[in-house]
Amino acid sequence: MTDPGSPRLVALRELAADAELERGDFVYEATEQLRRFLDTNRERLREIGPIKLVDDEQDYLLYHPVDETWTTRLTYQDPADNEWYDQEQLVDTIGELIELYNPADIFAWFIAAARDAPSR
């Protein structure tokens, strides 16, 4: 059994505390950056209407600009029974969205949606 006061455990706990602060700062900054983007483009986004950003076998992400919510579907395999399940949920905060998806991917999906959009 490892001594709870050993230098290695103390260092790991300090590292974990630093990592927790960095993670919190990252999530906050990423949330603010996406919020600024959405606020700046609010009227354009409302004109466009719902935007499907991801639609593949594993994930689905749809942005609803009028009510500023996100619908997501995550597909996962339950280790208890090895069955695959789809879980759809409404995400109504940007912070929660940042917890689910990489912020760089979200911006990339907006770019891809613009490139792949039908010209109606």
Side-chain angles (χ1 to χ4, degrees):
M1 188 161 151
T2 308
D3 175 11
S6 75
R8 184 173 192 278
L9 282 178
V10 169
L12 280 170
R13 287 186 188 116
E14 290 171 354
L15 181 68
D18 288 349
E20 185 175 354
L21 289 172
E22 291 296 331
R23 181 185 181 284
D25 187 49
F26 171 80
V27 169
Y28 174 81
E29 291 298 327
T31 299
E32 289 305 304
Q33 183 178 14
L34 184 55
R35 180 176 286 122
R36 283 189 305 271
F37 171 79
L38 296 172
D39 287 348
T40 299
N41 294 289
R42 178 176 282 127
E43 293 309 313
R44 252 187 261 166
L45 287 163
R46 287 183 176 169
E47 286 175 24
I48 295 167
I51 302 171
K52 192 180 297 177
L53 299 173
V54 177
D55 190 7
D56 62 30
E57 292 178 19
Q58 293 285 315
D59 293 325
Y60 175 85
L61 182 62
L62 178 69
Y63 178 58
H64 307 275
V66 173
D67 58 4
E68 298 179 357
T69 59
W70 307 78
T71 300
T72 185
R73 180 196 74 232
L74 301 173
T75 302
Y76 64 95
Q77 187 174 20
D78 188 341
D81 59 11
N82 273 346
E83 293 295 321
W84 286 90
Y85 296 94
D86 289 333
Q87 180 179 4
E88 189 170 293
Q89 65 185 33
L90 191 65
V91 179
D92 48 28
T93 69
I94 297 171
E96 185 180 354
L97 184 71
I98 297 297
E99 293 280 349
L100 294 172
Y101 293 99
N102 180 330
D105 289 341
I106 296 169
F107 286 111
W109 294 331
F110 272 108
I111 295 165
R115 289 183 181 146
D116 299 338
S119 58
R120 286 203 227 189

